[in-house]
Amino acid sequence: MTKSTLAIINARLPRQAGLHQVWLQQDSIAQILPMGEVAIAAGDVLDLEGDWLSLGGVDLQINGALGLAFPDLDAENCEKLVPISQFLWDQGVDAFLPTLVTTSLENIHRSLAAIRDVQHHLSAQAAAQNAAQILGVHLEGPFLNPTKRGAHPAEHLRSLTLEEIQQVLADHASQVQVLTLAPELDKTGTVISALKSLGITISLGHSQATAAQAQAAFEQGATMVTHAFNAMPALHHREPGLLGAALTHPGVFCGFIADGQHVSPTMLDLLIRICRGAPASHSEPAGLFLVSDALSPLGLPDGLYPWDQRQIEVMDGTARLLDGTLAGTTRPLLVGVQNLVQWGICGVGEAIALATEAPRRAIGLPGFAVGQPAQLLRWHWESDTRNLTWERLQLQN
């Protein structure tokens, strides 16, 4: 079939009921219509026979892949971002935010410079090269609460002041799309609004914030939460904490990891039910999106790997420091989609939306709509075996 004109029929779409036809012209979506609304014109037609159709995933928190941790990027190894972006494309990811966890100021600046050198080249060539686009950078730290730092090295944590922010961002503010911080560290109440004025999305995480402190941060302009449940106080009936505040504040998006290790599937079921509003609904839960939180061994077998000055051990896709501290995962983003469906937590369309539509909404990008590039995934669900598979649609001859 050809890319010039194509009608995809009998497709199920995330967040939309019934079967649809999607018209593609050249390299973009030209029309989205319910089946039967207009006659199908003669020409190339692809019948999905009830399978699901979506854009590719967007991963807003990914720490590395193929053996390279993004905080280790420099002028000598930055070309490795190209095969990593191609690998992520093969894993169904259209775009991502390389995430820099807490490290030295020198490493942060060096990595940001390396990403900048590669980003514009990849952005222009991503679709042609079958490579995921770099949307910017997610700084996960270094403005974190030491008591909730997890695997982040304590010696590189910094105070949350305007002066420290300036030192960390230097001349790289335009690259930073998301910054994770602990809001209770801001003693002046001025940092979040200052960061927002730079166009940076503020995500709360690695924090001991009370519900009142989190609410104040949301009022100041924070709009996201980093890996819900992890590195924050547990939900409590007398002190709901950061997560409780986030789940009851309009316009806040919570990222979460669905590898079965970071959060119990039962708690994910509860989280999604809260945000969905009704257990029987098959619409996308408001305010939630999937992340991988994948570390540098993503794409590599289990084993021991270096991680800053330490080592992590990867077993069955879960990475831990040698003292047992949970460090991350090596599961790709779309495995989370498959898990949510196989665990019976989400319907197929709902789970797909959590990795494809919701991350785009969280950072202000359009979802599946007219004018979007025709970089599409086809999803097939086998109810008997509870097996969800996907493939990229190949639209060229």
Side-chain angles (χ1 to χ4, degrees):
M1 62 187 64
T2 175
K3 265 189 173 180
S4 57
T5 304
L6 171 66
I8 301 176
I9 64 171
N10 294 317
R12 299 185 189 275
L13 305 179
R15 302 171 60 199
Q16 299 190 45
L19 295 175
H20 288 75
Q21 51 187 307
V22 178
W23 291 72
L24 308 181
Q25 288 184 345
Q26 300 302 325
D27 295 319
S28 65
I29 299 172
Q31 274 189 306
I32 304 171
L33 298 167
M35 287 299 299
E37 185 163 312
V38 295
I40 300 297
D44 289 330
V45 176
L46 174 61
D47 189 346
L48 291 197
E49 301 178 329
D51 282 351
W52 297 84
L53 186 69
S54 76
L55 301 175
V58 172
D59 200 344
L60 301 184
Q61 186 178 1
I62 175 172
N63 307 285
L66 302 182
L68 178 67
F70 295 137
D72 294 336
L73 281 163
D74 57 31
E76 300 298 321
N77 63 19
C78 64
E79 73 280 356
K80 292 183 180 179
L81 276 171
V82 175
I84 287 174
S85 296
Q86 292 168 336
F87 168 78
L88 292 176
W89 176 269
D90 291 340
Q91 297 300 312
V93 173
D94 283 355
F96 68 108
L97 294 180
T99 301
L100 304 182
V101 295
T102 301
T103 185
S104 69
L105 194 61
E106 178 186 2
N107 284 354
I108 291 173
H109 291 165
R110 185 187 64 207
S111 299
L112 286 168
I115 293 169
R116 180 185 58 204
D117 290 344
V118 176
Q119 182 177 358
H120 295 303
H121 168 71
L122 273 176
S123 296
Q125 302 296 325
Q129 293 183 345
N130 289 343
Q133 181 181 358
I134 296 174
L135 296 173
V137 174
H138 179 168
L139 284 185
E140 189 185 352
F143 310 107
L144 311 178
N145 192 311
T147 64
K148 287 294 183 181
R149 63 185 174 86
H152 291 245
E155 64 270 24
H156 295 309
L157 296 177
R158 302 177 77 91
S159 301
L160 185 54
T161 66
L162 292 174
E163 292 75 19
E164 292 280 2
I165 289 285
Q166 177 57 43
Q167 285 192 50
V168 170
L169 295 181
D171 61 348
H172 298 284
S174 62
Q175 285 181 259
V176 178
Q177 177 79 270
V178 175
L179 192 151
T180 293
L181 56 79
E184 69 275 18
L185 302 183
D186 180 12
K187 305 307 181 185
T188 66
T190 60
V191 169
I192 289 175
S193 58
L195 287 168
K196 186 179 178 183
S197 71
L198 297 174
I200 297 173
T201 297
I202 308 304
S203 188
L204 308 187
H206 289 276
S207 166
Q208 286 279 30
T210 64
Q213 290 170 324
Q215 289 284 8
F218 295 137
E219 294 300 326
Q220 292 161 13
T223 57
M224 281 175 52
V225 169
T226 296
H227 44 49
F229 290 110
N230 297 117
M232 62 187 62
L235 285 170
H236 190 277
H237 57 287
R238 282 191 290 271
E239 173 46 68
L242 189 164
L243 185 57
L247 295 177
T248 55
H249 196 286
V252 174
F253 289 84
C254 297
F256 71 98
I257 307 164
D259 63 348
Q261 297 295 320
H262 281 77
V263 184
S264 160
T266 299
M267 293 304 290
L268 289 183
D269 192 4
L270 178 63
L271 178 71
I272 289 172
R273 285 171 185 252
I274 290 170
C275 290
R276 183 192 290 143
S281 171
H282 289 284
S283 62
E284 173 193 338
L288 296 180
F289 63 92
L290 273 166
V291 298
S292 73
D293 197 28
L295 299 184
S296 59
L298 173 64
L300 303 178
D302 287 355
L304 287 172
Y305 293 94
W307 199 68
D308 56 47
Q309 304 305 311
R310 298 166 288 176
Q311 282 190 314
I312 53 174
E313 184 174 15
V314 178
M315 294 182 62
D316 194 26
T318 298
R320 296 181 182 273
L321 299 179
L322 298 188
D323 66 3
T325 301
L326 185 62
T329 183
T330 59
R331 300 296 190 193
L333 179 68
L334 298 190
V335 169
V337 176
Q338 295 166 318
N339 285 341
L340 290 174
V341 176
Q342 290 165 355
W343 295 336
I345 294 174
C346 290
V348 175
E350 179 182 35
I352 293 170
L354 286 167
T356 62
E357 298 290 303
R360 288 176 164 88
R361 289 175 55 221
I363 57 172
L365 296 179
F368 194 102
V370 171
Q372 283 288 80
Q375 300 164 8
L376 304 175
L377 304 183
R378 176 179 183 172
W379 301 77
H380 181 69
W381 168 241
E382 293 283 353
S383 57
D384 292 343
T385 59
R386 301 193 63 79
N387 187 36
L388 178 64
T389 57
W390 61 269
E391 63 176 344
R392 279 201 180 271
L393 286 185
Q394 302 298 321
L395 302 178
Q396 294 106 329
N397 283 324

